[in-house]
Structure formats: C-alpha cells, structure tokens
C-alpha cells in the first residue's frame, strides 16, 4: 500500500509522535510541494516537526516524489480551492495508485470525482490500532490531542468515532 500525505496530516501525525509508525503500514510518499511546505518553510519558522519529517526522509522511511502527468496536474490546478501542494498530493496518489491521506473536505470531494482513493487521519489512527501499532486508549488520546492542536470535527462525528473505536 502506498500512502501519499498532505501537509496537514503529515504535521498532525508528527506532532502526535506517530508519524514514524506510518511506514509500518505501507510505502510513505510526500509530494515535493508538501515537503517544501512542511520542511523548508517549517525550518525557516523553527518548527521542530520540520526536522523530524526531514529525518524520516533522510532515513528512507518517507520518500519525496514528483508527479509525471502534467496534463492531469494542470486539470487539478483549475480547481480554485486547491493549492499547488494539494494538486501534487492528488496527482501523486493517482500516478502511484496510492491512497491520499487527506482530511480537507474540498480535497476529498475532488479526489472522489477523479477516482482517487483517500483516507483521513481518523482512518489512519484506526488502522494503526487494528494493526496493533496503537492501543485503543491512544487512538482516543491522539484524536483529542489533534482537536486541541486545531483539527476540526463535528460533535456528531467525534461521537461516532468513539462508538466505532469501542467496536475494535
């Protein structure tokens, strides 16, 4: 399985201290524009997460990739709500037959329209739990920590996540 990360999921998982577990689930890919946002810009701002991500790339746990299909990328650029990095995530996921790890609803809608597989942060937390890489109690703590860091979800979604977590 190939996992293509966007900036948001990459940073949340780095802040939670679980980004290093992702290679246990599959090949981890970071589009070049995402790497630029997270590492180059993050280092300029003194973000320690940037150094952590850079280290994972240096160690070979994550691979920085570029897309090849300029025509598909140009098509994505026409969606006004997408950034350059967003377009690269979708293009890289499509070209690699990978799964885009994204939470943004606009990005997910376009991925769906384009037939690109995707999952979000919560799915990845559950997947880590099902693969015995995280305890159920850690999944809830990480979800709460993400919310404290600024990740948004409705109370209904949060409640349904907790209900589903009990079923694991």
């Amino acid at each position: 399985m190939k996992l293509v990360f966007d900036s948001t999921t990459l940073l949340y998982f780095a802040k939670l201290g679980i980004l290093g577990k992702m290679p246990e689930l599959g090949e981890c890919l970071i589009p070049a524009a995402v790497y630029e946002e997270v590492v180059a810009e993050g280092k300029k701002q003194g973000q320690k997460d940037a150094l952590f991500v850079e280290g994972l790339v240096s160690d070979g746990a994550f691979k920085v990739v570029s897309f090849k299909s300029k025509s598909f990328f140009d098509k994505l650029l026409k969606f006004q709500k997408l950034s350059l990095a967003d377009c690269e995530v979708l293009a890289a996921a499509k070209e690699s037959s990978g799964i885009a790890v994204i939470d943004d609803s606009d990005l997910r809608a376009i991925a769906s329209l384009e037939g690109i597989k995707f999952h979000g942060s919560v799915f990845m937390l559950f997947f880590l739990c099902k693969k015995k890489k995280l305890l159920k109690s850690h999944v809830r703590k990480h979800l709460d920590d993400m919310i404290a860091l600024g990740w948004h979800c409705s109370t209904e979604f949060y409640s349904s996540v907790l209900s589903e977590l009990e079923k694991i």
Side-chain angles (χ1 to χ4, degrees):
M1 169 171 49
K2 293 180 182 181
L3 302 169
V4 182
F5 289 85
D6 77 346
S7 300
T8 303
T9 54
L10 201 62
L11 287 170
Y12 277 120
F13 291 160
K15 289 179 188 312
L16 296 175
I18 61 170
L19 189 60
K21 293 179 182 287
M22 295 299 152
E24 297 174 40
L25 303 177
E27 185 179 2
C28 295
L29 308 175
I30 304 172
V34 171
Y35 186 81
E36 180 69 23
E37 278 183 6
V38 171
V39 176
E41 292 301 315
K43 284 169 64 174
K44 287 178 188 173
Q45 297 170 14
Q47 300 291 327
K48 63 182 176 181
D49 300 326
L51 297 174
F52 182 64
V53 173
E54 183 179 49
L56 289 171
V57 170
S58 294
D59 294 343
F62 280 71
K63 181 180 173 186
V64 178
V65 295
S66 298
F67 63 92
K68 294 179 180 75
S69 175
K70 179 128 174 63
S71 61
F72 182 67
F73 181 77
D74 288 343
K75 176 182 175 182
L76 291 172
L77 281 175
K78 292 178 183 172
F79 291 100
Q80 293 180 356
K81 293 188 177 195
L82 296 185
S83 70
L84 179 68
D86 292 337
C87 293
E88 285 195 18
V89 168
L90 295 181
K94 186 170 183 97
E95 286 183 2
S96 69
S97 298
I99 297 167
V101 183
I102 52 179
D103 286 334
D104 181 86
S105 59
D106 291 329
L107 195 52
R108 291 168 75 115
I110 294 167
S112 185
L113 281 172
E114 295 296 333
I116 299 167
K117 295 177 190 171
F118 63 88
H119 291 301
S121 298
V122 172
F123 177 89
M124 297 308 296
L125 290 172
F126 274 49
F127 196 49
L128 284 168
C129 184
K130 288 178 182 178
K131 293 291 185 181
K132 308 283 190 236
K133 307 296 180 192
L134 278 181
L135 299 173
K136 282 172 43 170
S137 59
H138 292 158
V139 171
R140 180 173 182 160
K141 180 184 179 334
H142 290 318
L143 182 61
D144 290 341
D145 289 346
M146 283 175 42
I147 291 168
L149 289 167
W151 187 81
H152 300 284
C153 70
S154 68
T155 53
E156 292 84 11
F157 181 73
Y158 182 80
S159 178
S160 69
V161 168
L162 295 183
S163 294
E164 289 299 314
L165 184 58
E166 291 306 313
K167 296 177 186 177
I168 295 178

